[in-house]
């Protein structure tokens, strides 16, 4: 699975920890300098969550299934800046 973490203005966000949760495993990867994450995942159903750098809030967790031994790509996992307190 590969994807890009972006803000609402389409800017990429580096340093986001992306976690894939499965019945039998959990895997966490981080976005690189261009906001891309990559994770090799076995077939199965997953919940994906992300923890952004300070000042960002993550949209609700995403649930998806890996049904084939191929390469998936996602670019819809955005974060947005939370109001300063």
């Amino acid at each position: 699975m590969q994807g890009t973490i972006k803000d609402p203005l389409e800017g990429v966000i580096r340093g986001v920890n992306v976690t894939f949760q499965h019945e039998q495993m959990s895997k966490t990867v981080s976005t690189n300098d261009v906001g891309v994450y990559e994770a090799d995942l076995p077939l199965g159903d997953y919940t994906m969550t992300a923890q952004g750098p300070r000042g960002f809030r993550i949209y609700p967790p995403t649930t998806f299934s890996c049904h084939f031994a191929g390469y998936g790509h996602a670019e819809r996992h955005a974060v947005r800046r939370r109001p300063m307190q």
Side-chain angles (χ1 to χ4, degrees):
M1 176 61 113
Q2 181 187 58
T4 306
I5 304 290
K6 297 179 179 181
D7 66 23
L9 299 176
E10 296 295 313
V12 297
I13 303 170
R14 66 181 178 167
V16 176
N17 291 322
V18 181
T19 301
F20 299 92
Q21 193 77 33
H22 182 272
E23 294 173 354
Q24 300 172 1
M25 63 156 291
S26 177
K27 182 169 190 165
T28 300
V29 297
S30 296
T31 58
N32 61 20
D33 287 340
V34 292
V36 174
Y37 62 86
E38 290 188 48
D40 292 323
L41 302 172
L43 302 179
D45 296 326
Y46 292 86
T47 299
M48 184 186 108
T49 57
Q51 178 64 46
R54 185 178 167 190
F56 286 91
R57 175 171 51 137
I58 305 299
Y59 286 112
T62 301
T63 303
F64 66 94
S65 297
C66 288
H67 292 291
F68 59 92
Y71 196 68
H73 182 80
E75 288 194 30
R76 297 188 181 191
H77 312 295
V79 297
R80 59 182 163 171
R81 188 169 294 281
R82 79 177 146 220
M84 300 303 278
Q85 300 173 348

